[in-house]
Amino acid sequence: MPPLLDGLRILILEDEVLIAMDVEQLCRDQGAADVTIVDDLAEIDRRDGLSWFDAAIVDLMLGGTSTLDFAARLRNAGIPFVFASGHSDSEEIEGSFPEIQLVAKPYSGDDLIEAVATACGRAKAA
């Protein structure tokens, strides 16, 4: 059986460097073909659209800025993603993004990878 993220290009939207590096390694260990860490929404806007990644792991806050508008862009583009955050207003997420899983920090690597794989249709929801 191939790794859960085999061949996927993953965007990690995270402003805490150590967490981002840990998540990057988790994704690579599960077969991700490419993993890009972004810590600023402006960097996303400088890139050419959203076609350079297949799935995303999105922190709810980057340097005090909400990522919910970006998450709406992902949803509208049909790109699978999960929220991974210690700043969790679960009511707002459940109201605006009921279909998107929130993995609350501190999380286990297995839980995070399972959530991404589920979002991408590679694992069944628990």
Side-chain angles (χ1 to χ4, degrees):
M1 185 166 157
L4 288 173
L5 305 182
D6 190 39
L8 292 177
R9 298 168 300 160
I10 305 290
L11 167 67
I12 300 170
L13 199 55
E14 172 63 64
D15 58 355
E16 293 187 36
V17 175
L18 293 178
I19 292 173
M21 291 171 53
D22 192 36
V23 172
E24 175 185 23
Q25 190 59 53
L26 287 167
C27 292
R28 291 189 187 285
D29 290 347
Q30 283 298 318
D34 187 41
V35 182
T36 302
I37 298 169
V38 173
D39 64 359
D40 180 358
L41 287 171
E43 184 176 337
I44 300 272
D45 293 333
R46 288 190 291 272
R47 293 184 179 248
D48 187 24
L50 302 176
S51 63
W52 50 277
F53 57 92
D54 303 309
I57 299 168
V58 179
D59 192 351
L60 286 170
M61 298 294 288
L62 287 182
T65 302
S66 171
T67 61
L68 292 179
D69 287 342
F70 177 71
R73 285 177 55 197
L74 292 174
R75 179 176 55 198
N76 293 340
I79 297 171
F81 68 97
V82 299
F83 290 114
S85 184
H87 305 281
S88 59
D89 181 352
S90 59
E91 281 187 24
E92 183 177 7
I93 294 168
E94 289 173 11
S96 300
F97 298 92
E99 73 286 4
I100 305 301
Q101 185 171 349
L102 168 65
V103 183
K105 292 178 184 173
Y107 47 73
S108 78
D110 290 342
D111 289 346
L112 182 62
I113 295 301
E114 186 75 22
V116 174
T118 300
C120 293
R122 294 182 173 207
K124 293 184 179 175

